[in-house]
Amino acid sequence: MPGLQPALQGGGAQGQSLATGQQGDANGIESLRSRLLAQGLSQGGRSGQAHGWPVESAPVVPCSVSVDSSKFSPLLRWMGITLVVILLLQMLGVLIIGQWQEESFRQLVVERLIAQSPMALVGLVLMYLAGRLDDAGEGRSPLLWAVCILSGVLAISLTAALPVSFSGDQMLQQQADRQLAQQKTRLETARIQSKNPAFLQQVIQQFQASGQVPPGVSEAQKNQAARAFIDRQLDQMQSQLKQSEQSNLVSLNQRRYGGSGAAVVLIVAFTILCLGSVL
């Protein structure tokens, strides 16, 4: 029996090592199966794509980005109100004078109103957009009613300013015609006077008195110098007349199209905005 116990102990040790080896072999086989399975799936997917076989892919989930309009509405509202207030302050600075009996003051009021109305139109459009963003379908908001009222007031004001603007265009046209007529009269008078021999001698005497004619010059040279001086003066007056005609034409067109024409366009725009705010 003493000899049998070491033998049994040796056998037990061998059994434990055998069990450990079998467990390690099982773990190795399991990891090998996992690698082969993953490799087979990847190869099968690639070969399926190569042969045109349908391969399932992960579903694509659409994403949507929502913009909160409440973040932009206050900004648009206050920007629009600021532009409208600037128009009111600009008009107040002119209306406080109150000299309505003078034509120049009325023209100044109309010009300021037409010049500042586009800024007010932009401000009212911003207020209109803010009102539409805030509108929850429960009637019109006070902001939209304010846009309607202000747009209507500006449209009526510009309509009332049209006759004053048209009269200003006529006055400017008449003033330009008078100035051109005076310049043309001076030019014609200078041309007629240049043909007078007495005027030519008067110019020669002025040259001699100022020392512009050296001594020993013949009468023909004196007459030639005086005639050249007169011709230069006539050419200068002619060029000034052409420049005046061009500048008057530009001023009249700018007043007619940039003033009265712009007022008509603004009336239409304010009317559309007024109706669009309540409809």
Side-chain angles (χ1 to χ4, degrees):
M1 295 300 292
L4 182 60
Q5 187 174 3
L8 291 175
Q9 292 178 355
Q14 290 179 0
Q16 291 179 356
S17 62
L18 181 59
T20 304
Q22 289 178 353
Q23 185 177 3
D25 292 340
N27 292 333
I29 291 172
E30 186 67 26
S31 61
L32 181 60
R33 279 170 70 188
S34 300
R35 288 197 300 270
L36 290 176
L37 181 60
Q39 184 177 2
L41 288 176
S42 61
Q43 290 180 356
R46 288 195 296 267
S47 63
Q49 292 179 355
H51 291 286
W53 297 341
V55 179
E56 295 182 356
S57 59
V60 179
V61 179
C63 60
S64 60
V65 179
S66 60
V67 179
D68 190 4
S69 60
S70 61
K71 296 180 180 179
F72 299 98
S73 179
L75 177 63
L76 295 176
R77 180 171 59 251
W78 287 110
M79 287 177 62
I81 293 174
T82 301
L83 294 177
V84 175
V85 170
I86 290 175
L87 168 68
L88 297 178
L89 293 177
Q90 292 286 338
M91 295 304 301
L92 182 62
V94 178
L95 295 175
I96 199 173
I97 301 175
Q99 298 179 358
W100 293 101
Q101 68 277 6
E102 296 183 2
E103 182 65 24
S104 60
F105 174 74
R106 292 196 294 269
Q107 294 296 327
L108 178 61
V109 172
V110 171
E111 290 178 359
R112 184 65 60 86
L113 177 62
I114 296 174
Q116 300 297 326
S117 291
M119 177 179 62
L121 179 61
V122 175
L124 290 174
V125 169
L126 294 177
M127 293 171 61
Y128 171 79
L129 294 176
R132 288 300 184 186
L133 291 176
D134 292 338
D135 189 9
E138 299 177 355
R140 296 294 177 262
S141 63
L143 184 62
L144 291 177
W145 283 111
V147 171
C148 177
I149 295 173
L150 291 174
S151 300
V153 170
L154 288 174
I156 295 173
S157 301
L158 289 170
T159 303
L162 279 179
V164 181
S165 180
F166 290 149
S167 65
D169 295 343
Q170 295 178 357
M171 290 177 56
L172 185 62
Q173 179 71 48
Q174 294 174 359
Q175 183 179 1
D177 292 340
R178 286 196 299 268
Q179 292 178 355
L180 291 176
Q182 292 175 0
Q183 290 183 354
K184 290 179 180 179
T185 302
R186 288 196 296 266
L187 180 60
E188 292 297 329
T189 303
R191 286 176 177 174
I192 295 173
Q193 192 175 8
S194 64
K195 298 178 181 179
N196 190 359
F199 179 74
L200 186 63
Q201 293 299 323
Q202 184 180 358
V203 173
I204 293 174
Q205 291 175 4
Q206 291 178 357
F207 283 170
Q208 290 177 351
S210 61
Q212 296 181 7
V213 179
V217 178
S218 62
E219 291 294 330
Q221 293 177 347
K222 292 179 182 179
N223 292 333
Q224 184 178 3
R227 178 60 61 186
F229 174 76
I230 293 173
D231 291 339
R232 288 195 300 270
Q233 293 296 320
L234 292 175
D235 293 338
Q236 184 177 1
M237 294 177 66
Q238 182 68 32
S239 63
Q240 289 178 355
L241 178 61
K242 290 182 179 179
Q243 291 178 358
S244 298
E245 291 177 348
Q246 293 178 355
S247 61
N248 290 332
L249 182 61
V250 171
S251 299
L252 289 173
N253 289 334
Q254 184 177 4
R255 170 77 186 220
R256 185 176 294 113
Y257 298 107
S260 301
V264 174
V265 175
L266 288 169
I267 290 171
V268 176
F270 282 121
T271 304
I272 294 174
L273 186 59
C274 177
L275 297 176
S277 300
V278 294
L279 295 180

